Amino acid sequence: MALRYVDEFRDGGLAAKILLRLKKTVHGLEPMHFMEICGTHTVAVFRSGLRDMLPEAVRLVSGPGCPVCVTADEDIDRAIWFARRPEVIVTSFGDLLRVPGSESSLLEERSRGADVRMVYASYEAVKIAQDHPDREVVFIGIGFETTAPTVAAAIRQAAAQGIDNFSVFSVHKLLPPVMRALLDSDSLRLDGFLCPGHVTTVIGARAYEEVARGYGMPCVVTGFEPLDILQGLSMLVDQKRSGRHDVEIQYRRGVTWEGNPAAQKLLEEIFEPADAAWRGLGSIPGSGLAIRSAYADYDAARRFSIPEIRVRENPACRCGDVLRGVIRPPECPLFRKVCRPQTPKGPCMVSSEGTCGAYYRYTS
């Protein structure tokens, strides 16, 4: 069967028509800066070549929407602390294993003998716990609202099956609070947000209304195909020109105003909002997810006595400024010189959704 659905959203002829309309619309206007919050958008923009085709007046700013990239140094160091305990099997997603902490990475710890395992889904970590009842299995839970429900399901599964050697070190992040934090800072000029379709399938488009109305900031929820993004940018331009600041849904084939109530209920059952540390942004109130006390036995942060860890950040790495949209990757002194995908110095070069990695792969 032909992939008609995808093909339509990659139709070069239609894209050229939308681009032409966009160029005519913004001709002679001052530059507008729109942030693609999500790393998946960032990579899609580069992969499709959209960034180079956009008119000068439409400028994209990459935001802090890559879960690996925004994981703070101190949380990487805590994950490494777990890995150094002989009774612990550390599990997490592949990209996180390569992110450098103050002294090493989880991958380096594995090369030194630590039991660190990559999994593709949190339920695999539960299975490892079942298979190794004499060991403690800690899953390093990263991700936004898209991933967190699957981790919540793993915790509920472990509880239902009486698996008592599984726990989660939760460093999950929430999107709307970081959007507000970015707008509260004085270092960033923005004219609108391209909001990610996958996160919004869970939280619903209504979740951005406070950002749109409270900050006068246009928000458009888009998909990840080239025509999705082009149409989303066109909708943002139309809002800006007409002086509106609404939440609009371009990605109607996947997103509703209310989101996914089953996933939201699961998140509510297992997690509660908590302050969270973000790389480059510091601590943001209510921007993370902590495991509720009813499931404290599955909270690695309570199950283990984690000592205070002194964090040593690489002063030359400017991932934090990239994540805040203050600089572009080529402005970092390490970019392409010593920081490459094979030898990353910061998470933005490690992650498949990282802005530095995208610049490295898709620009010369």
Side-chain angles (χ1 to χ4, degrees):
M1 187 174 68
L3 295 175
R4 179 175 176 270
Y5 193 68
V6 173
D7 288 348
E8 287 178 346
F9 287 92
R10 298 177 182 177
D11 185 324
L14 186 54
K17 291 179 182 177
I18 298 176
L19 268 172
L20 181 60
R21 174 187 174 276
L22 189 59
K23 288 177 180 177
K24 288 180 177 177
T25 302
V26 301
H27 180 70
L29 298 181
E30 291 292 316
M32 289 170 270
H33 299 79
F34 301 122
M35 175 173 277
E36 84 271 8
I37 314 169
C38 173
T40 310
H41 271 150
T42 300
V43 172
V45 166
F46 275 103
R47 184 183 291 141
S48 61
L50 278 181
R51 185 175 290 269
D52 294 332
M53 291 187 281
L54 292 174
E56 176 63 19
V58 178
R59 299 181 181 179
L60 285 173
V61 180
S62 298
C66 163
V68 172
C69 303
V70 297
T71 302
D73 281 302
E74 52 261 47
D75 288 328
I76 298 295
D77 287 350
R78 291 184 182 112
I80 289 170
W81 179 84
F82 285 117
R84 288 177 175 173
R85 298 184 67 83
E87 75 274 24
V88 171
I89 300 173
V90 165
T91 57
S92 195
F93 303 127
D95 278 353
L96 188 73
L97 306 191
R98 299 180 60 218
V99 176
S102 295
E103 298 178 1
S104 68
S105 66
L106 286 171
L107 209 56
E108 289 174 29
E109 294 300 318
R110 186 167 75 178
S111 71
R112 294 168 186 155
D115 197 342
V116 177
R117 306 187 189 187
M118 183 185 78
V119 296
Y120 292 98
S122 50
Y123 73 83
E124 293 179 38
V126 178
K127 179 65 167 61
I128 292 171
Q130 279 182 306
D131 294 341
H132 300 276
D134 56 332
R135 305 281 301 279
E136 289 283 338
V137 175
V138 176
F139 177 73
I140 311 299
I142 64 167
F144 289 86
E145 293 94 330
T146 323
T147 312
T150 65
V151 179
I155 291 174
R156 191 161 70 175
Q157 176 192 353
Q161 296 179 354
I163 299 170
D164 60 4
N165 61 326
F166 170 78
S167 58
V168 172
F169 180 55
S170 175
V171 287
H172 293 97
K173 303 290 192 294
L174 300 174
L175 201 57
V178 76
M179 294 168 70
R180 294 193 293 270
L182 286 169
L183 295 172
D184 284 333
S185 73
D186 297 326
S187 58
L188 186 63
R189 173 192 166 186
L190 282 183
D191 296 291
F193 282 113
L194 273 180
C195 303
H198 47 22
V199 166
T200 318
T201 60
V202 174
I203 64 176
R206 208 174 299 285
Y208 305 115
E209 285 186 337
E210 184 182 338
V211 172
R213 293 175 180 170
Y215 292 86
M217 188 60 53
C219 295
V220 174
V221 182
T222 72
F224 300 95
E225 296 297 335
L227 290 183
D228 286 325
I229 297 168
L230 269 178
Q231 189 177 19
L233 288 171
S234 182
M235 293 164 73
L236 282 171
V237 167
D238 288 344
Q239 282 204 44
K240 188 67 182 173
R241 290 183 67 222
S242 61
R244 292 183 293 116
H245 40 82
D246 300 323
V247 180
E248 294 182 305
I249 304 174
Q250 180 278 333
Y251 192 47
R252 292 189 177 278
R253 63 189 186 280
V255 165
T256 66
W257 287 99
E258 306 303 331
N260 183 329
Q264 292 169 15
K265 184 178 179 182
L266 184 57
L267 284 175
E268 177 72 17
E269 176 188 338
I270 305 295
F271 293 114
E272 59 186 349
D275 298 352
W278 295 64
R279 185 180 294 267
L281 296 164
S283 179
I284 300 177
S287 67
L289 289 173
I291 297 171
R292 290 189 181 276
S293 56
Y295 290 90
D297 290 345
Y298 300 92
D299 185 351
R302 302 189 205 195
R303 193 179 181 99
F304 297 84
S305 298
I306 305 174
E308 186 175 345
I309 297 174
R310 185 176 181 182
V311 177
R312 291 201 301 270
E313 297 183 3
N314 183 343
C317 174
R318 299 194 62 185
C319 273
D321 290 333
V322 171
L323 292 168
R324 289 187 291 121
V326 175
I327 68 166
R328 297 177 304 116
E331 296 173 68
C332 174
L334 306 184
F335 183 74
R336 286 193 193 280
K337 298 181 178 69
V338 295
C339 186
R340 306 183 183 92
Q342 299 81 7
T343 55
K345 302 304 176 187
C348 297
M349 185 63 84
V350 171
S351 171
S352 59
E353 296 184 352
T355 305
C356 294
Y359 263 80
Y360 188 94
R361 289 192 299 274
Y362 298 110
T363 65
S364 58

